Amino acid sequence: MKKISNPKWYQAQCLKLKKRGTLGFVPTMGCLHLGHLTLIRESVKHCDFTAVSIFVNPLQFGPKEDFTCYPRPLKDDLLLCKQAGVDLVFLPTPEEFYGSNFSIIMDETQVSQGYCGKSRPHHFAGVLTVMAKLLNGTQPDFLWMGQKDFQQCRVIQRLIENLNFPVVFKMCETVREKDGLAMSSRNRYLSPEERKTAPLIYAALKSTQALYRKEKNLEKLSRHLHMCLNSIPGFKIDYAKLVDRDTLQEGKTKNLVILVAGFFGKTRLIDNLLF
Amino acid sequence: MKKISNPKWYQAQCLKLKKRGTLGFVPTMGCLHLGHLTLIRESVKHCDFTAVSIFVNPLQFGPKEDFTCYPRPLKDDLLLCKQAGVDLVFLPTPEEFYGSNFSIIMDETQVSQGYCGKSRPHHFAGVLTVMAKLLNGTQPDFLWMGQKDFQQCRVIQRLIENLNFPVVFKMCETVREKDGLAMSSRNRYLSPEERKTAPLIYAALKSTQALYRKEKNLEKLSRHLHMCLNSIPGFKIDYAKLVDRDTLQEGKTKNLVILVAGFFGKTRLIDNLLF
């Protein structure tokens, strides 16, 4: 397994691998858990070669968010990548990655506009920029991302379709702890008490899904969802919406996804469920 | 020579060519003249295969500009491409090219901000978007563009460097009529009278260059340039600046480019000179 921090050198190595077979790519911010590893294993299984990026992207964090204290257990991450059969790890510094004359702006005007886009104003602009750079730097045949960041997946799909990136987008199901909590690098911020109650987020999603089988009234479903989430001790809802899974627009009763975000203290968690 | 309008089919054909050799790309809006043909010939000479796009991009025209009446002599253009040894011509409709769910925004905050960027407010955002799509759709090894659109060249270089597009940028010198007028598809809008005086734009650039050999005072040089341009009958200056050829910032006395734009009636012409 090669580890490369220089973007030009990384790009050259990726192009080399591509000449010998299919290349899969898993972009991460490190602090790898079973969710990331599932993406990596899928890529290793389906592609001849797999590249993983480990890069905590400053552009997608707000000024009051956790960029500086975001966990960076690099040694563990590299071991996990190696064990999973990764061929190439890209781990640039922000300075190497963005250079000194960075002046391109990217944004998206539809699927990025509500939900996390509203709560985190420049988040998706940062995500789009880093992904455009990573896709060009890697030139993968397949891009593997997790359903846990559902809105992000939709934003990246727009990027790929709108700008004609020659890559196949693959979304893998959210990996959960045994008690249902969606795996996230931020779960480690939770106190033991919060960790115990956090699985109730997923329980609220499942309960709303169960009600949906009997009841298609969006207002009732939304009320039920909010009631379930509001009853979680210490949890403060950021948003909780039933929306169209493709356009992320409200008002539809079919082809839905529930999108939820909220806080335990300062720890922001998100989850979603398709039905 | 293949002609393709479907973006996915074009992309597949480009990737096929790339597997067999190097691919050069010349993006155009059609109405090909010797300037375009010089780019195409350079590409044919240096690359195993050459793709040309002919696409009048609505995104880079302002609402009062000449999008609808921009000349589209497609039959002539295709013949010229064929004679020059082009392998692949991409000629999508705007609908095919942008699709129905286009929501990505691109912009640039430094080299695109003055000059044509000021006079044509959304022009470079449109140029960046079309170029990102064309580069991803074509995946060329070499991109050939003309110095005539000098600011555009700098904007595209930023796009390539900032977003890590794996392509080598090649700028070719402006091709001129015998009397010095820079070749442009818009020259055909000029009246016989205007056509006769239009070469004085280039003469003004050359005269300022001559003065520069004796005189490094930017204010005097600028005054001279404006005086020359203002003396051209029927010509109205849009801007005329001596700026740093890399950053396009004013105030430097070395490594300069003169950027000029102006109008004969409704016809907007640009030119530039490096020294």
Side-chain angles (χ1 to χ4, degrees):
Chain A
M1 184 179 81
K2 272 189 187 160
K3 294 167 282 180
I4 302 179
S5 72
N6 180 287
K8 285 221 174 287
W9 180 235
Y10 168 71
Q11 188 173 48
Q13 292 304 305
C14 286
L15 290 173
K16 239 187 201 174
L17 290 179
K18 267 198 76 157
K19 284 200 179 150
R20 293 169 46 206
T22 55
L23 178 59
F25 177 51
V26 183
T28 83
M29 300 207 301
C31 194
L32 304 182
H33 51 64
L34 204 54
H36 301 106
L37 287 177
T38 305
L39 300 173
I40 293 172
R41 286 175 193 153
E42 282 296 303
S43 178
V44 169
K45 199 165 83 186
H46 284 87
C47 303
D48 297 322
F49 304 103
T50 291
V52 170
S53 64
I54 297 179
F55 180 60
V56 186
N57 174 32
L59 246 57
Q60 70 191 67
F61 285 79
K64 288 180 183 168
E65 290 180 354
D66 55 345
F67 172 69
T68 46
C69 65
Y70 194 88
R72 291 164 170 87
L74 188 59
K75 223 171 139 184
D76 298 351
D77 289 346
L78 291 173
L79 187 63
L80 288 168
C81 285
K82 196 170 177 183
Q83 287 169 344
V86 170
D87 300 280
L88 201 54
V89 177
F90 180 43
L91 58 183
T93 63
E95 293 72 27
E96 281 174 304
F97 192 68
Y98 286 109
S100 55
N101 281 317
F102 202 88
S103 58
I104 294 288
I105 294 177
M106 304 192 69
D107 216 336
E108 199 279 340
T109 59
Q110 294 174 13
V111 292
S112 70
Q113 288 306 294
Y115 324 114
C116 284
K118 196 172 170 194
S119 309
R120 308 180 67 187
H122 302 290
H123 174 66
F124 285 122
V127 168
L128 285 160
T129 308
V130 77
M131 282 304 303
K133 283 173 70 61
L134 288 171
L135 286 174
N136 281 333
T138 310
Q139 302 271 308
D141 299 288
F142 295 89
L143 172 65
W144 303 87
M145 296 187 82
Q147 187 196 317
K148 160 73 171 5
D149 303 299
F150 189 79
Q151 189 179 12
Q152 175 173 277
C153 284
R154 286 293 181 252
V155 172
I156 298 307
Q157 282 179 291
R158 273 299 166 97
L159 175 72
I160 291 169
E161 285 163 22
N162 279 190
L163 295 189
N164 306 81
F165 282 95
V167 62
V168 177
F169 182 85
K170 294 281 196 181
M171 184 171 81
C172 296
E173 267 182 40
T174 303
V175 179
R176 298 180 182 280
E177 304 287 351
K178 277 184 187 159
D179 57 16
L181 177 63
M183 290 203 185
S184 164
S185 307
R186 292 187 172 102
N187 289 350
R188 63 173 66 190
Y189 298 153
L190 298 171
S191 71
E193 200 54 47
E194 290 165 343
R195 177 63 192 80
K196 250 184 247 169
T197 48
L200 291 171
I201 300 171
Y202 184 54
L205 299 180
K206 294 294 280 184
S207 168
T208 308
Q209 181 185 39
L211 181 61
Y212 177 76
R213 290 191 188 111
K214 296 185 287 192
E215 173 63 77
K216 306 288 184 253
N217 182 310
L218 278 176
E219 209 175 300
K220 280 189 194 167
L221 288 163
S222 176
R223 215 158 40 224
H224 178 79
L225 173 64
H226 276 82
M227 196 198 62
C228 293
L229 292 169
N230 278 323
S231 72
I232 302 173
F235 185 69
K236 194 172 156 276
I237 298 175
D238 178 8
Y239 62 78
K241 301 268 187 187
L242 291 104
V243 302
D244 182 282
R245 69 170 69 174
D246 293 320
T247 64
L248 305 192
Q249 296 295 304
E250 295 181 67
K252 296 279 175 65
T253 54
K254 269 185 191 175
N255 195 42
L256 293 179
V257 61
I258 311 182
L259 300 176
V260 168
F263 292 89
F264 282 106
K266 283 185 177 177
T267 306
R268 189 171 185 278
L269 299 183
I270 58 175
D271 204 350
N272 66 81
L273 191 65
L274 292 163
F275 58 81
Chain B
M1 185 180 81
K2 272 189 185 159
K3 295 167 282 178
I4 302 180
S5 73
N6 179 287
K8 285 220 174 286
W9 180 235
Y10 169 70
Q11 188 174 47
Q13 292 303 304
C14 286
L15 291 173
K16 239 187 202 174
L17 290 180
K18 267 199 76 157
K19 285 201 176 148
R20 293 168 46 206
T22 54
L23 178 60
F25 176 52
V26 183
T28 83
M29 301 208 300
C31 193
L32 304 181
H33 51 66
L34 203 53
H36 300 106
L37 286 178
T38 304
L39 299 173
I40 292 172
R41 285 173 193 154
E42 281 297 302
S43 179
V44 169
K45 199 165 83 185
H46 284 88
C47 304
D48 297 321
F49 304 102
T50 291
V52 170
S53 63
I54 297 178
F55 179 60
V56 186
N57 174 32
L59 246 58
Q60 71 190 69
F61 285 80
K64 288 178 184 172
E65 290 181 353
D66 55 346
F67 172 69
T68 45
C69 64
Y70 195 87
R72 291 165 171 86
L74 188 58
K75 221 171 144 185
D76 299 351
D77 289 345
L78 291 173
L79 186 64
L80 288 168
C81 284
K82 197 171 177 181
Q83 287 169 343
V86 170
D87 301 281
L88 200 54
V89 176
F90 180 43
L91 58 183
T93 64
E95 294 71 28
E96 280 174 303
F97 191 67
Y98 286 110
S100 54
N101 280 317
F102 202 87
S103 59
I104 294 288
I105 294 176
M106 303 193 69
D107 216 335
E108 199 278 339
T109 60
Q110 294 174 14
V111 292
S112 70
Q113 288 307 294
Y115 324 113
C116 284
K118 198 173 168 191
S119 310
R120 308 180 68 187
H122 301 290
H123 173 67
F124 285 121
V127 168
L128 285 161
T129 308
V130 77
M131 282 305 303
K133 283 174 70 63
L134 288 172
L135 286 174
N136 281 333
T138 310
Q139 302 272 309
D141 299 289
F142 295 88
L143 171 66
W144 303 86
M145 297 186 82
Q147 188 195 318
K148 158 80 171 0
D149 303 300
F150 189 78
Q151 189 179 12
Q152 174 173 277
C153 285
R154 286 292 181 251
V155 172
I156 298 306
Q157 282 179 291
R158 273 300 166 97
L159 175 72
I160 290 169
E161 285 163 21
N162 278 191
L163 296 190
N164 307 78
F165 282 94
V167 63
V168 176
F169 182 86
K170 294 280 195 183
M171 184 172 80
C172 296
E173 267 182 42
T174 304
V175 180
R176 299 180 181 279
E177 305 287 352
K178 277 184 189 161
D179 57 16
L181 177 63
M183 290 204 182
S184 163
S185 308
R186 291 187 171 104
N187 289 349
R188 62 173 64 189
Y189 299 152
L190 298 171
S191 71
E193 200 53 49
E194 290 166 343
R195 176 64 192 82
K196 251 185 247 169
T197 48
L200 292 172
I201 300 172
Y202 184 56
L205 299 181
K206 294 295 280 183
S207 167
T208 308
Q209 181 185 40
L211 181 61
Y212 177 77
R213 290 193 188 109
K214 297 186 286 189
E215 172 63 78
K216 306 287 184 255
N217 182 311
L218 278 176
E219 208 174 300
K220 281 187 192 167
L221 287 163
S222 175
R223 215 156 42 222
H224 178 80
L225 173 64
H226 276 83
M227 196 199 63
C228 293
L229 291 169
N230 278 324
S231 71
I232 302 174
F235 184 69
K236 194 173 155 276
I237 297 175
D238 177 9
Y239 61 80
K241 302 269 186 186
L242 291 104
V243 302
D244 183 281
R245 68 170 69 171
D246 293 319
T247 64
L248 306 192
Q249 296 296 303
E250 296 181 65
K252 296 280 176 63
T253 55
K254 269 184 190 175
N255 195 43
L256 293 179
V257 62
I258 311 183
L259 300 176
V260 168
F263 293 90
F264 282 105
K266 283 186 177 177
T267 306
R268 189 172 184 277
L269 299 182
I270 59 175
D271 203 350
N272 67 80
L273 190 66
L274 291 163
F275 56 80

